Amino acid sequence: MGLMLLTACANVIPPCGAKVSPPSSELRNTKWELTRWNLPPNSYGEVRTRQIPIGEASNPIQMTFEANGQRVSGSTGCNRFTAELNEDTKGFSLKKITTTKMSCNSQRMELENDFLYELNDYRSIVRNGDQLLLIGTDREVLSFTQRPVSK
C-alpha cells in the first residue's frame, strides 16, 4: 500500500511534498535549467511535451535567482533576459522583463516568445528539492532542474 501511495504521489503536479510558492529567499543564488515542457492536456486528458533544447551545447533555457534577491536573469536559448523580483504575502512575481534583441531561427524565436509569455503570466511556482515547476495560467508546466551556480 505504501509503494502505491508513493507511486501515485510521484505523478501529481505539483508533487505531494513540494512547496507551493516558496519564499524568494529560498531561491536566492540558485540556477535552473528548463528540462521539460508539458503542454496542456488534450481533449483525452493526455499530457504532451514540447521539444526543448537541453544541455550546455544546445543553448538551453536557464534562469538564475540573484544572491541579492531582487532580480532573476538567464537565457531564453536565444537571448539573455532579466526581470525584477517582487514579493508580497501571496508569493513573488516577475516584473519588467527585458531581453536582448538577437535574431535566431524561427523555431527558437517561437520558443523564446512562448517562454517569455509563461514567465510573465504564470499561476504558481512550486519547488520540490532540485526541481522547480512554473505552472502557467494556460495549464502548461515548465520543469526546471537545479544546476550549479557559476562563480
Side-chain angles (χ1 to χ4, degrees):
M1 179 71 171
L3 180 59
M4 197 162 80
L5 178 62
L6 287 175
T7 303
C9 217
N11 294 321
V12 173
I13 299 223
C16 297
K19 270 193 175 170
V20 177
S21 297
S24 65
S25 60
E26 282 188 23
L27 299 173
R28 286 185 184 166
N29 203 34
T30 60
K31 180 178 180 179
W32 305 86
E33 180 179 324
L34 181 65
T35 52
R36 184 178 173 105
W37 189 320
N38 288 351
L39 297 170
N42 64 20
S43 59
Y44 301 107
E46 301 166 331
V47 174
R48 301 156 293 130
T49 60
R50 181 173 191 169
Q51 192 74 14
I52 56 167
I54 296 176
E56 290 297 332
S58 63
N59 294 328
I61 294 173
Q62 296 180 331
M63 62 183 179
T64 301
F65 289 80
E66 295 180 2
N68 65 12
Q70 297 175 359
R71 299 195 73 70
V72 174
S73 61
S75 171
T76 64
C78 178
N79 284 288
R80 305 280 312 150
F81 75 90
T82 62
E84 287 182 10
L85 192 135
N86 294 332
E87 190 160 21
D88 61 26
T89 56
K90 296 177 186 170
F92 64 86
S93 60
L94 303 176
K95 303 289 183 203
K96 298 183 183 176
I97 300 170
T98 59
T99 66
T100 56
K101 300 290 183 192
M102 293 182 358
S103 180
C104 294
N105 68 45
S106 60
Q107 188 178 16
R108 278 291 188 143
M109 293 304 294
E110 180 182 349
L111 185 66
E112 174 179 290
N113 288 336
D114 291 349
F115 171 70
L116 291 172
Y117 173 81
E118 294 297 330
L119 200 60
N120 191 52
D121 196 34
Y122 63 87
R123 185 181 71 214
S124 61
I125 290 184
V126 177
R127 183 173 187 179
N128 187 31
D130 69 348
Q131 185 180 36
L132 193 69
L133 303 174
L134 190 141
I135 303 168
T137 55
D138 55 6
R139 297 176 44 201
E140 292 191 24
V141 179
L142 283 62
S143 299
F144 293 83
T145 301
Q146 192 166 3
R147 300 292 188 230
V149 177
S150 304
K151 299 284 180 190

